[in-house]
Amino acid sequence: MCEHIEDFHRTVLMLGALAVYAEQAGADIAFIEAIGPSLAASLPEPPPGMFPPGYDPTAGPDYPGGW
């Protein structure tokens, strides 16, 4: 497995673990708010073949919150 895919999978696993931790009683919200965006920003490009050809993540409907 190439290093790029390993980095992607490892980061996704850490984001998942953070999400599980966030749901626990007594979770440190300041930690979650600091680490979550940092992990998300460190996600490398997805491995080739993860999305179908021509996939555009910005082509969906507008966010209901009006962002």
Side-chain angles (χ1 to χ4, degrees), residues 10-60:
R10 186 178 307 114
T11 305
V12 169
L13 286 172
M14 287 189 288
L15 280 167
L18 185 65
V20 170
Y21 170 70
E23 294 299 318
Q24 294 179 357
D28 184 347
I29 301 302
F31 173 79
I32 295 164
E33 290 175 349
I35 298 302
S38 299
L39 277 175
S42 72
L43 266 174
E45 295 262 338
M50 179 158 283
F51 297 109
Y55 175 77
D56 181 6
T58 64

